[in-house]
């Protein structure tokens, strides 16, 4: 579904805002220019208010939950009321509603419990609704960044129409996105990371914040492979995957930021941690923190430092052979034979 379709559907729904509320929030009631209800789960109350007509304060269909701070448009309300994760399903529901008479709203059936915005449950639903990367836009994006060995669907997936809400009070957009699972040491999904992409996959989407994570992130990471006594950890997904191009048999983890890298949880069997650092002050701080934590419990910490800003910059600028040679010079001798010999 094209990006503009989301705005068009929301506008059409806004013109029938009261009918939308009577259908999906029938436990509420009209009060002047607003529909009042307890929350998007249709709980009786007055916390959530929906604007029913255009006004100087904003267009019809905009809503806000005073208790939680959540806000959005009528597409968001339909998504939450029906427990839908995929925008195509939300759009289908909205289109079906717009073709129905509104005089006698039918009761909702099979309603799923609402997943709180940004929660681990919302992250799990989004990841479940995503698809393997394969030849998708996300696959194109990674290959253009020099990453040919694409991870399996347990780590990275693709969503063709992932919601993007700007920081300003603009309407929700949809863009293709690479969806990464953030997991704990037991492999349980605690969050996701979204990278919104241009429709042709040549770059990230032209939006203010093309990367966002949600869910429970502290201590967790996007994981590639099952760690044993040796693993590598870094910040960004592309930087970690670039090192993985050179050492595909080593388990690796992307913590998504310097702060989360510094706090990453160590597997019980870990004896040697390679720190894939970014070449900036935040990367230095994360490295120092990890070295201190690792050494305190008897884990050897070895720094892997790029020539440029990060290892994906190295890979794109100098190629895989040069990146592999740089890593070889920083690996422990026993790990060169174990992880790099087959790739050389």
């Amino acid at each position: 579904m094209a990006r503009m379709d989301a705005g068009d559907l929301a506008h059409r729904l806004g013109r029938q805002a009261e009918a939308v509320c009577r259908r999906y929030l029938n436990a509420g009631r009209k009060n002047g220019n607003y529909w009042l209800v307890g929350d998007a789960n249709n709980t009786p109350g007055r916390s959530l208010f929906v604007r029913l007509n255009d006004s100087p304060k904003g267009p019809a269909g905009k809503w806000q939950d005073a208790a939680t701070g959540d806000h959005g448009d009528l597409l968001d309300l339909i998504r939450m009321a029906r427990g839908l994760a995929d925008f195509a399903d939300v759009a289908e529901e909205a289109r079906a509603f717009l073709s129905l008479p509104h005089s006698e709203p039918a009761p909702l059936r099979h309603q799923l419990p609402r997943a709180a915005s940004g929660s681990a449950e919302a992250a799990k639903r989004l990841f479940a609704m995503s698809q393997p990367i394969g030849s998708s836009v996300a696959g194109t994006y990674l290959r253009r960044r020099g990453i040919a060995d694409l991870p399996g669907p347990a780590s990275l997936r693709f969503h063709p129409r992932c919601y993007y809400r700007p920081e300003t009070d603009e309407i929700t957009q949809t863009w293709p996105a690479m969806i990464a699972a953030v997991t704990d040491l037991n492999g349980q999904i605690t969050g996701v990371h979204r990278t919104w992409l241009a429709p042709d996959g040549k770059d990230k989407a032209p939006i203010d914040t093309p990367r966002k994570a949600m869910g429970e992130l502290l201590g967790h990471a996007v994981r590639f492979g099952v760690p044993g006594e040796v693993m590598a950890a870094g910040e960004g997904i592309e930087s970690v995957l670039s090192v993985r191009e050179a050492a595909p048999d080593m388990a690796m983890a992307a913590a998504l930021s310097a702060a989360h890298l510094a706090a990453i949880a160590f597997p019980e069997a870990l004896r040697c941690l390679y720190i894939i650092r970014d070449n900036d002050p935040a990367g230095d701080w994360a490295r120092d923190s990890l070295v201190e934590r690792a050494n305190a419990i008897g884990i050897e910490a070895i720094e892997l430092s790029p020539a440029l800003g990060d290892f994906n910059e190295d890979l794109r600028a100098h190629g895989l052979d040069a990146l592999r040679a740089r890593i070889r010079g920083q690996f422990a001798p026993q790990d060169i034979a174990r992880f790099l010999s087959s790739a050389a």
Side-chain angles (χ1 to χ4, degrees):
M1 185 172 182
R3 176 167 68 99
M4 295 303 296
D5 285 345
D8 181 60
L9 277 173
H11 178 71
R12 291 172 182 269
L13 290 168
R15 294 205 300 254
Q16 302 184 45
E18 183 174 341
V20 174
C21 292
R22 292 187 183 278
R23 163 74 167 134
Y24 295 96
L25 300 174
N26 56 16
R29 62 184 180 86
K30 183 178 180 181
N31 186 340
N33 190 37
Y34 295 94
W35 187 268
L36 304 180
V37 70
D39 55 34
N41 276 336
N42 201 25
T43 304
R46 299 170 56 88
S47 176
L48 188 148
F49 52 94
V50 185
R51 192 176 296 116
L52 298 180
N53 298 287
D54 292 340
S55 78
K57 295 182 178 181
K62 286 290 186 176
W63 60 271
Q64 183 169 348
D65 190 329
T68 65
D70 290 346
H71 59 92
D73 56 36
L74 292 174
L75 283 172
D76 295 315
L77 278 183
I78 290 174
R79 172 176 61 84
M80 291 186 287
R82 294 302 305 268
L84 302 171
D86 191 280
F87 184 78
D89 296 332
V90 179
E92 181 180 359
E93 176 75 17
R95 288 187 176 120
F97 169 83
L98 289 167
S99 70
L100 293 173
H102 312 308
S103 56
E104 297 182 5
L108 290 175
R109 297 181 180 178
H110 309 300
Q111 180 174 326
L112 293 175
R114 176 187 173 187
S117 178
S119 67
E121 180 59 32
K124 291 176 184 177
R125 292 187 188 185
L126 175 59
F127 194 72
M129 295 300 296
S130 301
Q131 54 195 247
I133 289 179
S135 58
S136 69
V137 171
T140 300
Y141 169 76
L142 290 175
R143 291 185 185 97
R144 287 182 63 87
R145 298 183 74 87
I147 299 165
D149 186 11
L150 301 183
S155 300
L156 289 187
R157 295 185 183 181
F158 169 68
H159 197 298
R161 294 170 298 273
C162 185
Y163 284 147
Y164 172 76
R165 187 192 303 281
E167 299 298 328
T168 57
D169 192 30
E170 299 175 15
I171 199 165
T172 299
Q173 304 172 9
T174 60
W175 292 89
M178 182 171 69
I179 310 295
V182 178
T183 63
D184 62 19
L185 291 176
N186 296 317
Q188 298 300 308
I189 294 177
T190 65
V192 295
H193 182 270
R194 297 153 292 176
T195 303
W196 284 278
L197 305 172
D200 59 7
K202 292 182 179 179
D203 205 342
K204 291 181 283 293
I207 52 181
D208 290 340
T209 312
R211 292 172 172 164
K212 289 185 180 181
M214 68 176 184
E216 299 170 8
L217 309 178
L218 190 63
H220 309 316
V222 181
R223 303 181 191 279
F224 309 103
V226 180
E229 294 185 350
V230 180
M231 68 170 285
E235 294 183 38
I237 292 171
E238 290 96 324
S239 182
V240 169
L241 288 179
S242 297
V243 177
R244 182 173 174 267
E245 287 288 303
D249 295 329
M250 180 181 288
M252 299 189 185
L256 304 177
S257 73
H260 287 106
L261 176 58
I264 195 170
F266 299 142
E268 185 175 351
L270 188 65
R271 296 294 176 266
C272 178
L273 174 68
Y274 284 93
I275 302 170
I276 303 170
R277 65 177 286 267
D278 282 6
N279 200 4
D280 56 27
D284 293 341
W285 173 81
R287 173 204 59 203
D288 294 344
S289 299
L290 270 181
V291 169
E292 182 178 356
R293 287 182 56 219
N295 289 344
I297 56 175
I299 296 174
E300 181 183 11
I302 300 175
E303 174 185 339
L304 297 180
S305 185
L308 301 174
D310 62 40
F311 278 103
N312 190 244
E313 289 186 34
D314 283 11
L315 178 60
R316 287 183 290 158
H318 305 304
L320 180 57
D321 289 342
L323 183 145
R324 184 180 291 126
R326 183 171 184 85
I327 291 174
R328 178 183 292 271
Q330 300 178 65
F331 262 33
Q334 66 273 19
D335 292 329
I336 293 175
R338 181 177 177 184
F339 295 108
L340 289 178
S341 59
S342 61

